[in-house]
Amino acid sequence: MKISDEEILNPGHVACPGCGAALSMRFALKALGRDTILVIPACCWSVIDGPFPYSSAGIPVFHMAFEAAASTAAGVKAGLLAQGNTHTSVVAWAGDGGTFDIGIQALSGTAERNADIIYVCYDNEAYQNTGIQRSSATPYLAWTTTTPVKFPKQEQKKDIVEIMAAHRIPYIATATVAFPEDLTKKFIKAKSIKGTKFIHLLSPCPPGWKSKDQDSIKISRLAVKSRVFPLIEIENGEKYKITVNPKPVAVKDYIRLQGRFRHISDENIEQIQKNVDRNWEKLLKKTEG
Amino acid sequence: MKKLLMGNHTVSWGAMLARAQVIAAYPITPQTQIVEELATLCAEGKAKAQFIKVESEHSALASCIGASAAGARAFTATSSQGLALMHELLHWAAGARLPIVMANVNRAMAPGWNIWTEQTDSLAQRDTGWIQFYCENNQEILDSIIQAYKISETVSLPSMIVLDAFFLSHTTEPVEIPPQELVDKFLPPYKPQYKLDPKEPHAFGGLSSTEYYYELRYKIQKAMERAKEVIEETDEKFNQIFERKYGLIEEIETSDAEVILVTSSTITSTARFVTEQLRKTGKKIGLLKVRVFRPFPSSEIRDALSNCEKVAVIDRNISFGSGGIFASEIKSAIQKMGKQPVIFPFIAGLGGRDITVPQIEEMINYTFENAKPKEEILWRGLKYENI
Ligand SMILES: Cc1ncc(C[n+]2csc(CCOP(=O)(O)OP(=O)(O)O)c2C)c(N)n1
Ligand code: SF4
Ligand SMILES: [Mg+2]
């Protein structure tokens, strides 16, 4: 597996140091190539790309309203097809808020119609752009500015991958920047498949996760090793495969690098560990089945 | 070729003749047949468009925005609640300078649920940057859709073709269907100056600071101002080929009129009849039909009203806390006149209640008989004061 040497994402973008979302884009574009169009709803990436008249993406970008990434990307694809262009990949690139919350209707409709797009959710587990408010992707007990330390998030993270699997779209994958070969393979595969592809990227965010800039890759790696964020593929909503399965570590190792969990007790961590173990067992059953 | 078509099917045929390449629409009474007919025309291969059967009006317009940004001619249609749901994206389409054309069937906004005609849905979107045409009959609907693409693609702003619920949407009329070759001659394929193209990458709609945003808005206003000329030029070119024209406004017997009645949409047809009858009795009454609401034809209206003393405006719409929207625009337009006529602001027919011949006669007589309106808003046809 060779990752392309060509840099499509230009230097000069305005992401924070250690931003998983910027790094994700860099690797995604290397895999997708220049014959790609991005649709970006309101999210950190509407800023990261750079202010008018600048753009760092290196490929065409259409900025769009917060809730409309999927249906807009489907429209771009239809517009290209209407002009006889069958080759360009159209990618909706949205945050967790734009995917799990406000954009889920458009995403569900687009997936049900199996529009030929790649939908990427870079998941930094909160509304980072507006200053770290909780989303339905924020994990249990995490601090955000709307789930303060005295009353951290009480709900479990929404299982977006299962929701997308229930749409029986041809391809779903999870990926994260600490495993760039796996990420690259998945983007290349997504590009080769017709229909709706959904890629869920766990995307560390130092200011939002209250972690060190230099720890982003480490945290991304520990998310996978602790099985908080398994790296998988699902074909047609039913064929599950774990693509990378390193030797497991304790969830505690992942959690203790992030200030957003600083307030939680060892018992809380035990509880989270149990949830993670149960989810892993369920996942294993699906891969058998 | 003449064909008997209901207003809704006329819309579908208009989109087909204009060779819309991407259609995304969602059904709502009284617009539903537009979507059904387009689905049929696409399925039969008569219309060669990508038809996206979206899950909401919001996604309908989002898909049109994407398609148009990719360089395709895009079309949608909706009504009332659906148009309101699109609101954020109406701003987006205009701000992104995309020449999308949509049909909106005027329907009253809920609650209470009411499917009958009223203009408040589309007039409430007047500040979004869409050109707006209010149509009087089915032929005008068809012709306006074809014209609208040419206008929109020239000034890079979207257009809304507005038709009354039921009075047009469900009324069958003979419509002259122009031959496709002639439409193609009038409306060549869309060639955008910029589009989403990997060979020439650009970012569209990114962060615009205080350094640039203001100018971008200024340019939208300038494009709207230019649209007035473009609408007239386009109408003239259309006339040369198809021998029909509509103008920004239409004047009937205005030159020597003491009182001019101002109407839009199908109320105009009833008003034409009333004006003709009253003229026979010697009343110096004229009629002004406002076809284009955005850009607002202020100077044309000033010219039309320059010799009259009083103006009766019928609004089938309301801006709560202000009044009838056409009346308010006209009041603002006449400020530049030396001798201003007195405006009589009538509201009638909200929620599809009939506006009858005797009612229009009464409004005209009231305007003749009174020096000034006796109330801020002249409500007509109210049945129950306390309900
Ligand atoms: C309709 C609407 N509501 C709210 C906002 C404000 N807003 C912009 S970005 C954002 C949060 C984005 O969160 P997410 O999708 O997770 O992306 P992130 O910023 O975390 O990268 C919000 C609430 C908006 N732009 N549009
Ligand atoms: S706030 Fe987080 S996601 Fe946003 S640019 Fe900074 S690091 Fe990236
Ligand atoms: Mg987020």
Side-chain angles (χ1 to χ4, degrees), chain A residues 95-97 122-128:
Chain A
D96 47 294
Y122 72 94
D123 180 3
N124 51 26
E125 302 193 315
Y127 302 164
Q128 304 300 352

Side-chain angles (χ1 to χ4, degrees), chain A residues 44 127-133 145:
Chain A
C44 267
Y127 302 164
Q128 304 300 352
N129 179 259
T130 40
I132 328 173
Q133 295 83 28
T145 57

Side-chain angles (χ1 to χ4, degrees), chain A residues 208-259:
Chain A
W209 294 11
K210 303 286 169 229
S211 54
K212 292 191 188 125
D213 302 349
Q214 65 270 30
D215 279 351
S216 289
I217 299 296
K218 200 168 170 187
I219 291 172
S220 163
R221 189 180 306 120
L222 286 171
V224 175
K225 289 179 121 182
S226 65
R227 294 169 173 170
V228 166
F229 191 80
L231 293 178
I232 64 167
E233 275 180 343
I234 310 171
E235 282 172 23
N236 303 315
E238 51 188 31
K239 213 174 133 212
Y240 286 67
K241 187 178 160 196
I242 297 169
T243 55
V244 180
N245 192 2
K247 209 164 137 270
V249 299
V251 167
K252 191 175 185 168
D253 297 353
Y254 170 67
I255 281 180
R256 285 303 183 207
L257 285 174
Q258 304 172 53

Side-chain angles (χ1 to χ4, degrees), chain A residues 44-45 64 109 129 150 162 165 173 188 202 228 244 267 274:
Chain A
C44 267
W45 248 101
M64 191 39 167
N129 179 259
K150 283 218 168 74
E162 281 302 301
I188 290 173
L202 186 74
V228 166
V244 180
E267 290 88 81
K274 277 193 187 126

